[in-house]
Amino acid sequence: MLRENIQKVEENIEAACKRAGRDRSEVTLIAVGKTKPVEMLQEVYDTGIREFGENKVQEMMDKYEVLPKDIHWHMIGHLQRNKVKYLMGKAALIHSVDSLRLAEEISAQSVKHAVTTDILIEVNIAGEESKFGTSKEEAIALVEDAAKLPNIHICGLMTIAPYVDDPEDNRKYFRGIRELSVDIKEKNIDNVDMRILSMGMSGDYEVAIEEGSTMVRVGTGIFGARNYNI
Ligand SMILES: *Cc1c(COP(=O)(O)O)cnc(C)c1O
């Protein structure tokens, strides 16, 4: 079942790339296995996927321990500063940096562990109360300040678009993130590149790809619905 799901997602990604005149290699598929057992992640791994996303530090650590070591782990969930230390050298990319205080902690821990940590700045593009992320207005200042910190590298932006029935409703937000990344790129800030746009989930990744996404985070579309009550 998982194999078929992945194949379907893969076909959709390819079709979206084609519509947008983009090369398939520009888009990375991240399999979001949160709440799902390691057996299912192993099955996805066996199809060739090496990029996995988790939204909780403890869960990522538990899975990290038992799954193959060539997996690239993506921290995509809201991150508390006291948990940053556990991710050092383990998270390939932290997508959810939404404050200078968090960036400072990632920097300090990276120095301590003698690693460089790649991060994305999370932008709450629709200004939703319920979501984390810096506002569009504050994003540039955050990038400028975080760029000065040692041992972190800002690789781009991440956003979680609103939950909608019609993915077309999110097109404007994805476009807004892309425009923001161009604005930031034009500032030529040292230690900042905007090569990654992490946007698009199961409900809207095709539209996100059409608007320039380079990383889509797909959970339900690969693993099926999540049950939080178990
Ligand atoms: C859970 C989650 C996803 C995947 O969501 P689906 O709708 O199941 O594809 C993507 N990004 C983040 C930040 C998440 O927490």
Side-chain angles (χ1 to χ4, degrees):
M1 176 196 92
L2 295 184
R3 195 171 279 275
E4 280 104 74
N5 290 351
I6 292 165
Q7 201 171 337
K8 185 71 200 147
V9 170
E10 187 52 50
E11 282 167 15
N12 292 340
I13 291 174
E14 274 169 35
C17 284
K18 201 169 227 174
R19 284 195 296 278
R22 302 181 64 197
D23 196 274
R24 168 66 187 91
S25 64
E26 292 172 35
V27 181
T28 301
L29 170 61
I30 299 175
V32 178
K34 63 189 187 199
T35 79
K36 298 296 180 181
V38 290
E39 291 74 19
M40 283 180 89
L41 276 75
Q42 180 69 49
E43 206 179 320
V44 169
Y45 176 93
D46 291 339
T47 71
I49 288 182
R50 294 293 177 269
E51 312 294 323
F52 286 83
E54 291 289 335
N55 70 336
K56 293 205 164 70
V57 172
Q58 186 62 53
E59 188 173 350
M60 181 189 282
M61 291 302 97
D62 292 346
K63 288 173 173 173
Y64 177 96
E65 288 306 321
V66 295
L67 286 164
K69 287 293 172 277
D70 62 341
I71 288 177
H72 298 141
W73 291 99
H74 296 258
M75 174 41 64
I76 61 175
H78 181 63
L79 184 54
Q80 288 168 324
R81 282 178 301 141
N82 62 355
K83 302 228 172 111
V84 165
K85 54 180 179 282
Y86 303 114
L87 296 177
M88 291 299 106
K90 293 185 176 162
L93 182 63
I94 300 176
H95 292 230
S96 42
V97 179
D98 61 356
S99 72
L100 187 59
R101 273 157 51 101
L102 178 57
E104 283 169 346
E105 177 63 11
I106 297 171
S107 170
Q109 290 294 337
S110 298
V111 170
K112 195 171 162 188
H113 290 82
V115 295
T116 297
T117 305
D118 287 341
I119 66 167
L120 304 178
I121 301 298
E122 180 174 355
V123 182
N124 183 353
I125 190 70
E128 289 177 286
E129 291 273 340
S130 60
K131 293 228 166 84
F132 294 103
T134 179
S135 70
K136 194 177 170 184
E137 292 69 31
E138 288 162 349
I140 295 180
L142 176 54
V143 169
E144 285 172 334
D145 292 340
K148 298 182 187 123
L149 300 168
N151 292 49
I152 58 172
H153 183 63
I154 303 172
C155 303
L157 305 176
M158 179 273 223
T159 198
I160 304 173
Y163 186 80
V164 288
D165 289 327
D166 182 358
E168 283 298 329
D169 294 345
N170 282 338
R171 188 179 291 279
K172 57 183 178 295
Y173 296 127
F174 297 137
R175 193 169 291 173
I177 289 286
R178 172 160 171 91
E179 286 166 359
L180 180 60
S181 81
V182 171
D183 290 348
I184 294 172
K185 206 180 293 175
E186 281 172 355
K187 290 185 175 286
N188 280 319
I189 307 164
D190 259 5
N191 191 29
V192 174
D193 69 70
M194 283 285 131
R195 69 176 191 277
I196 297 176
L197 294 181
S198 170
M199 53 188 199
M201 304 173 31
S202 294
D204 55 20
Y205 64 91
E206 293 161 271
V207 172
I209 289 170
E210 288 170 13
E211 295 301 330
S213 172
T214 70
M215 276 190 180
V216 292
R217 311 177 306 265
V218 179
T220 314
I222 291 175
F223 291 95
R226 287 178 292 275
N227 181 356
Y228 286 100
N229 302 322
I230 48 174

